Amino acid sequence: MSKTKSFSISRRLVSLAYQQVRSNKGAGGIDGISLETFHKAYKDHLYKLWNRMSSGSYMPPPIKLKEIPKKGGGLRPLGIPTISDRIAQSIVRGLLEPGLEQVFHEDSYGYRRGKSAIQALSRARERCWNQNWVVDVDIKGYYDNIPHDLLMKAVRLHCKSGWILLYLERWLKAPLQRSDGTIEERTKGVPQGSVIGPVLANLYLHYSMDKWLEKIYRHCPFERYADDAIIHCGSMREATELKAALSERLEACGLELHPEKTHVVYCKDSNRRQRGSSKMSFDFLGYTFKPRLAQNSQRGVWFTNWLPAVSTRSMRSMNEKMGKWEVLKRTTNTLQEVAAEINPVVTGWINYYSKFYKTKLVSYMHIVNVKLASWARRKYKHLRASEMKAIRWLHGVSMRQPRLFAHWALLGSKPTI
């Protein structure tokens, strides 16, 4: 390594970061260079990146802004760095993250190794059984409004490396480039889609909310996944007071509770009779928590329990994705080719949304058979006259090849509408 370099950055770290970026895939940024194109001359690209970062001359290019639909409506701004910039951010994240992992709260689940959304949901379900009230937290435009000065103050508590601090500040100030080519300067916020963004966003909420809750409302446990959080309280009064206090706390940190999406919720079940709250459900990580019928396995008695199940928003999102499946719009495909294309997606849905109250997802998954039957009627002339005929044909296929489609095992190999 050259002795004239301003910063001591290992070339091995650059190489390892590239392998990580390559395995994660993803689109290119504003320079139009894809991963495939980058790989053709990756040694040259990596050397240039290492050289610039080591000399302190690396300046992050603008971030490509892409807006994607949100489940609840509206658009979510997604920032897409260039491949080189993604590698640079991966280097810093790899050095910064292990130390911060020792600091983060155990009930912070988002974008952390060994933590998952399913764990957060499981803990939320358990705590809703123990405490009657919940504050369903929604922070308005969280990623877009994180104050840079306060964020860097938090970073400096845990990082003393001059070159890491230098590049973190440069990434925070890197402008956005919109689809029409216009450049938008940034004075606050962390772009969603950046490699370093989730770590910084977690760190800021760790100090602005997690540590504050632990100190001021120690007896009110919470689950947080990125900026999506649920706080458990023992009474309506406590929940109402906590919501107001949290609003003041976040305002002091440059953030704002969404006035229409933050609610106090009563976790009603067969044993809870208290009145005074019109809100008796909340959505968390794609699931809706609300009173649902459940059966006591020992006595066979039905009762009302507070349980999570796949949310209406999630089902709507799945339906929209199914509507865009090109493979079901072409009748030149075989049924095996259709299965090969949609099974990975459906398997992902089943693995996530069947963890709690599976019957709700089972009921919904019949829609996949509706889509397959419609495709079959367009493909085969002898099925066009009758929807039931197409369903019977599909049922016959499932009896011969019960593992052809991922959801058939969930439905018990009964393709019905």
Side-chain angles (χ1 to χ4, degrees):
M1 185 177 292
S2 173
K3 295 180 181 180
T4 62
K5 296 300 181 185
S6 300
F7 304 122
S8 179
I9 301 174
S10 166
R11 294 179 69 171
R12 181 173 176 271
L13 283 180
V14 180
S15 180
L16 290 173
Y18 170 57
Q19 295 302 323
Q20 185 179 32
V21 168
R22 193 180 177 205
S23 65
N24 289 337
K25 302 181 180 180
I30 64 165
D31 58 4
I33 298 178
S34 66
L35 271 169
E36 292 77 12
T37 303
F38 187 96
H39 187 66
K40 292 176 182 177
Y42 77 94
K43 290 183 179 180
D44 290 338
H45 289 303
L46 295 185
Y47 177 79
K48 290 177 183 177
L49 178 62
W50 167 79
N51 192 38
R52 290 170 182 167
M53 290 188 74
S54 297
S55 66
S57 63
Y58 177 72
M59 298 298 295
I63 299 167
K64 182 179 179 180
L65 181 64
K66 182 179 181 181
E67 295 182 315
I68 59 174
K70 296 197 294 186
K71 285 183 181 179
L75 297 173
R76 184 188 305 280
L78 190 67
I80 304 175
T82 63
I83 303 301
S84 288
D85 199 41
R86 210 175 299 165
I87 296 168
Q89 291 186 35
S90 295
I91 296 168
V92 171
R93 178 171 181 168
L95 295 171
L96 193 62
E97 196 169 38
L100 294 181
E101 276 296 316
Q102 306 303 313
V103 174
F104 288 154
H105 196 281
E106 64 177 353
D107 282 314
S108 169
Y109 296 89
Y111 308 111
R112 297 180 61 192
R113 293 180 184 178
K115 299 281 189 177
S116 69
I118 294 300
Q119 289 176 339
L121 287 160
S122 181
R123 186 58 62 89
R125 179 182 64 163
E126 176 186 325
R127 285 172 172 162
C128 283
W129 291 339
N130 295 329
Q131 291 183 271
N132 296 8
W133 295 86
V134 152
V135 179
D136 178 16
V137 176
D138 189 289
I139 303 174
K140 191 173 182 180
Y142 173 62
Y143 281 85
D144 296 333
N145 291 295
I146 299 174
H148 289 172
D149 57 340
L150 295 179
L151 172 58
M152 287 306 300
K153 183 179 179 181
V155 172
R156 290 188 185 96
L157 291 174
H158 305 282
C159 177
K160 306 303 178 184
S161 171
W163 71 269
I164 290 180
L165 294 172
L166 171 69
Y167 290 126
L168 285 175
E169 289 185 324
R170 288 181 181 177
W171 280 315
L172 289 177
K173 295 175 183 177
L176 296 173
Q177 180 174 301
R178 295 190 172 274
S179 56
D180 61 2
T182 57
I183 299 294
E184 182 179 308
E185 299 298 325
R186 293 172 50 243
T187 58
K188 60 181 180 178
V190 175
Q192 294 188 64
S194 64
V195 175
I196 199 66
V199 180
L200 298 178
N202 262 341
L203 179 62
Y204 194 66
L205 266 189
H206 172 75
Y207 282 108
S208 58
M209 188 171 80
D210 300 356
K211 291 284 287 183
W212 178 83
L213 284 170
E214 189 175 46
K215 181 180 179 181
I216 308 300
Y217 289 93
R218 191 174 187 84
H219 56 289
C220 294
F222 67 90
E223 299 81 39
R224 180 173 68 80
Y225 192 99
D227 60 329
D228 200 355
I230 300 298
I231 308 170
H232 304 268
C233 300
S235 68
M236 182 180 183
R237 179 178 179 179
E238 183 176 59
T240 303
E241 289 178 354
L242 188 153
K243 178 186 171 185
L246 179 60
S247 180
E248 290 182 8
R249 167 63 181 175
L250 293 180
E251 186 177 346
C253 297
L255 302 172
E256 179 187 359
L257 275 185
H258 199 298
E260 297 174 0
K261 296 181 180 179
T262 300
H263 304 286
V264 171
V265 180
Y266 183 47
C267 305
K268 182 175 174 57
D269 62 22
S270 292
N271 297 319
R272 293 170 176 168
R273 308 290 183 182
Q274 184 172 337
R275 297 182 180 180
S277 176
S278 59
K279 187 73 175 172
M280 288 189 289
S281 70
F282 64 83
D283 282 8
F284 185 49
L285 302 178
Y287 278 77
T288 296
F289 285 69
K290 62 183 257 186
R292 300 180 191 276
L293 278 178
Q295 189 175 32
N296 185 300
S297 58
Q298 295 179 338
R299 295 183 296 169
V301 177
W302 288 91
F303 65 102
T304 301
N305 201 352
W306 182 265
L307 295 170
V310 57
S311 71
T312 300
R313 284 184 181 179
S314 297
M315 291 188 290
R316 188 184 303 123
S317 178
M318 286 187 280
N319 202 37
E320 288 173 357
K321 185 153 191 173
M322 282 189 268
K324 295 177 182 178
W325 280 344
E326 293 295 327
V327 70
L328 291 181
K329 297 177 183 179
R330 301 189 298 267
T331 56
T332 54
N333 299 310
T334 65
L335 196 60
Q336 287 71 24
E337 289 170 335
V338 172
E341 188 157 333
I342 74 171
N343 273 347
V345 178
V346 175
T347 298
W349 291 340
I350 292 171
N351 288 343
Y352 187 74
Y353 292 113
S354 68
K355 295 297 183 183
F356 308 100
Y357 212 78
K358 185 187 291 187
T359 53
K360 182 77 172 179
L361 183 67
V362 170
S363 177
Y364 176 76
M365 278 287 117
H366 287 290
I367 291 180
V368 182
N369 288 330
V370 173
K371 306 284 186 185
L372 292 173
S374 296
W375 171 84
R377 291 179 69 190
R378 292 194 303 273
K379 182 176 177 66
Y380 301 111
K381 290 182 179 180
H382 69 284
L383 299 178
R384 291 176 186 171
S386 169
E387 189 174 58
M388 270 320 297
K389 195 172 184 180
I391 286 295
R392 284 195 296 270
W393 173 82
L394 202 58
H395 178 72
V397 174
S398 76
M399 298 303 291
R400 297 188 299 273
Q401 304 178 66
R403 297 184 179 180
L404 181 58
F405 285 95
H407 67 291
W408 282 355
L410 186 73
L411 300 178
S413 300
K414 296 176 182 178
T416 58
I417 296 179

